[in-house]
Amino acid sequence: MPAIVLIGAQWGDEGKGKATDLLSDRIDYVVKFNGGNNAGHTVVIGSEKYALHLLPSGILTDGVIPVISNGVVIDLAVLFEELDALDARGVDVSRLLVSANAHVITTYHRTIDKVTERFLGKRQIGTTGRGIGPAYADKINRVGIRIQDLFDENILRQKVEGALEQKNQILAKIYNRRAITVDEVADELLSFADRLKPMVSDTSLELNNALDAGKTVLFEGGQATMLDVDHGTYPFVTSSNATSGGAATGSGVAPNRFDRVIGVIKAYTTRVGAGPFPTELFDEWGEFLTEKGAEFGTTTGRVRRCGWYDAPIARYASRINGVTDFVLTKLDVLTGIESIPVCVAYDVDGTRMDEMPVSQTDFHHAVPIYENFPGWTEDITGVRTFGDLPKNARDYVIALEEMSGSRISAIGVGPARDAIVVRHDLVG
Ligand code: GDP
Ligand code: IMO
Ligand code: MG
């Protein structure tokens, strides 16, 4: 099973970083195919804790070749900061490959991200402020700057000039900000060119060759299904395809090469930023999940909104992504709850809906219909086999599996690298 896609099934922060790390001693390449440094993956290895944003989590395992493919938007200052920080901690970062077709995030993208959010007022998305949306907007508008442009100064200056022409008008006249000069942008980008050059390659060709040679490639999604620009809760989404289809367009590996799609899903639900969230809790149970699950953002430090597990969302994610296996994370966080509610369907203005409503307005009005499952009190963080979980925990997992559209192949029982119960092999 050489090509595996791993994606988030909810609104992000499901534990994709840890799941990637779990598989990484059996993979040869790990590819980040979407998003940028809006992602935040925490991986705990022994007493060491790593927070990754732009680099794929598999970089932490010796021998794995990390790849940033064409679908990513790259803030080069962040890339080098992250590489230097890992290098200083003894992680081998020398094999990183970067696609010549990936787009860059520059000063004006970050500025525009922040001013547009401020301008939106109450309609804010709550972005990470990293310039992600404006960089993807430029890509779609065909005024983006690509990694390969950094190696031809003439072309680069022309492209930056073209990109700034309209933006400076908008920044100055609408947002009352100072205009940005071509030189400040071009000079900053050029300052990275020499260091970047040896990493740049045709990553699509590299990955296809690797697959031809029988290597195992893991495509690690940033963000998640419900934040996908096409399939998520638009406009409260990120600006890339975080679903499994994005792995193909975002890497230049064809869809028929993917053997497996792993959906990472929490045993409850969280969301950062604005937008609809039917099972969100505003009572002490919300606080319980925030505290016990340590639900604070890895990237912006914001408190994550918390709620119960939402089975229609799990089914939706299963369908949209073609999930073959779920990794259910953070089951340990639910320990000690006497009766655990699970959303099985929605009530939308008096009508029962078993699947995600097609209209955003209906989704905003969706009131969860809950079924309750008996909880457990035993500490499960040391459990390593399914049979050793308390009966109620097993029943909870089996109930979720029946509702969620795909089998649950692994279960997270703690943040540590080995705190996992594997039911079905995820790679073989
Ligand atoms: P990602 O963005 O999907 O990689 O997820 P994040 O790293 O942003 O957030 C997940 C958090 O949950 C991290 O702090 C992980 O260390 C932690 N985590 C992952 N799996 C488990 C688990 O099974 N139990 C507990 N308690 N924590 C977990
Ligand atoms: P990982 O990979 C959770 C959210 C932001 C905001 C919206 C748009 O760690 O799961 P953006 O800056 O992307 O334009 O913000 O998307 N968001 C995330 N939420 N986890 C993430 O990544 C996220 N990346 C973006 O909070 O609501
Ligand atoms: Mg995260």
Side-chain angles (χ1 to χ4, degrees):
M1 294 258 184
I4 303 165
V5 185
L6 183 145
I7 49 86
Q10 295 157 323
W11 277 285
D13 306 321
E14 296 90 350
K16 298 176 292 292
K18 182 186 153 179
T20 297
D21 181 58
L22 169 75
L23 304 178
S24 57
D25 58 350
R26 294 168 68 192
I27 59 178
D28 301 298
Y29 289 77
V30 63
V31 185
K32 178 178 171 91
F33 63 82
N34 78 303
N37 56 314
N38 48 348
H41 308 301
T42 302
V43 182
V44 181
I45 303 176
S47 58
E48 295 283 304
K49 191 168 169 177
Y50 298 87
L52 297 159
H53 299 286
L54 186 49
L55 294 165
S57 310
I59 198 167
L60 298 173
T61 302
D62 268 353
V64 174
I65 301 182
V67 178
I68 295 180
S69 63
N70 59 279
V72 176
V73 286
I74 306 177
D75 187 322
L76 288 161
V78 173
L79 176 70
F80 290 123
E81 265 166 39
E82 214 164 283
L83 286 172
D84 288 342
L86 288 180
D87 185 50
R89 291 174 75 176
V91 176
D92 177 13
V93 295
S94 63
R95 298 210 272 174
L96 176 70
L97 301 177
V98 176
S99 167
N101 290 346
H103 283 243
V104 297
I105 299 178
T106 71
T107 321
Y108 49 81
H109 297 124
R110 286 186 298 267
T111 305
I112 291 169
D113 195 353
K114 287 177 190 142
V115 289
T116 35
E117 277 283 277
R118 232 171 284 149
F119 214 69
L120 280 171
K122 278 207 312 222
R123 290 178 296 119
Q124 265 186 9
I125 312 279
T127 72
T128 58
R130 303 293 192 263
I132 306 294
Y136 277 115
D138 275 4
K139 171 176 173 174
I140 301 301
N141 276 332
R142 295 162 295 193
V143 292
I145 312 289
R146 295 193 293 174
I147 290 291
Q148 57 183 282
D149 300 327
L150 269 63
F151 308 114
D152 186 329
E153 186 171 344
N154 253 336
I155 293 272
L156 179 70
R157 287 189 191 278
Q158 276 173 36
K159 289 195 173 180
V160 172
E161 192 173 359
L164 278 175
E165 216 165 301
Q166 197 192 28
K167 285 184 188 68
N168 273 334
Q169 300 280 337
I170 295 172
L171 280 174
K173 292 183 183 154
I174 300 179
Y175 296 120
N176 205 17
R177 302 286 291 229
R178 87 177 167 83
I180 293 168
T181 67
V182 173
D183 282 348
E184 67 186 283
V185 175
D187 292 349
E188 195 200 353
L189 291 176
L190 287 168
S191 73
F192 299 116
D194 287 346
R195 191 169 169 199
L196 186 64
K197 195 150 195 187
M199 304 172 189
V200 177
S201 71
D202 180 344
T203 49
S204 163
L205 181 64
E206 293 260 2
L207 292 171
N208 278 286
N209 285 345
L211 288 169
D212 289 344
K215 303 278 187 204
T216 302
V217 181
L218 180 75
F219 297 81
E220 180 191 340
Q223 293 73 56
T225 306
M226 301 305 284
L227 289 171
D228 182 284
V229 68
D230 283 280
H231 301 291
T233 46
Y234 189 90
F236 302 101
V237 291
T238 191
S239 298
S240 68
N241 285 117
T243 44
S244 62
T249 53
S251 72
V253 171
N256 61 351
R257 301 207 77 154
F258 297 109
D259 304 283
R260 224 158 195 193
V261 179
I262 298 172
V264 186
I265 193 158
K266 263 182 217 184
Y268 52 97
T269 313
T270 65
R271 170 162 211 176
V272 193
F277 178 1
T279 64
E280 182 169 15
L281 292 164
F282 300 96
D283 57 10
E284 67 274 20
W285 287 116
E287 278 166 41
F288 174 94
L289 294 173
T290 304
E291 292 303 319
K292 195 146 176 241
E295 297 296 352
F296 301 93
T298 312
T299 299
T300 56
R302 288 178 287 178
V303 178
R304 296 175 182 151
R305 301 157 62 191
C306 292
W308 301 121
Y309 190 85
D310 187 323
I313 284 178
R315 281 197 293 279
Y316 180 74
S318 174
R319 193 164 69 239
I320 295 285
N321 295 293
V323 171
T324 57
D325 303 82
F326 275 121
V327 173
L328 182 75
T329 60
K330 297 195 137 178
L331 186 66
D332 53 299
V333 175
L334 301 182
T335 301
I337 304 176
E338 205 179 320
S339 174
I340 309 167
V342 170
C343 168
V344 295
Y346 307 119
D347 178 319
V348 180
D349 303 326
T351 304
R352 181 184 166 113
M353 289 197 178
D354 289 301
E355 300 301 333
M356 276 278 297
V358 67
S359 123
Q360 180 81 3
T361 308
D362 284 352
F363 195 57
H364 274 273
H365 293 182
V367 176
I369 298 172
Y370 286 116
E371 216 174 282
N372 288 290
F373 293 85
W376 58 92
T377 52
E378 300 90 330
D379 178 6
I380 61 169
T381 52
V383 172
R384 296 292 176 268
T385 59
F386 192 63
D388 287 340
L389 283 172
K391 180 170 184 311
N392 286 352
R394 276 182 314 207
D395 287 348
Y396 180 74
V397 172
I398 290 166
L400 296 193
E401 183 170 70
E402 280 167 2
M403 291 179 220
S404 303
S406 311
R407 66 182 186 175
I408 293 174
S409 295
I411 301 149
V413 291
R417 192 176 219 180
D418 66 339
I420 194 108
V421 169
V422 178
R423 294 174 77 202
H424 306 286
D425 188 11
L426 290 163
V427 178

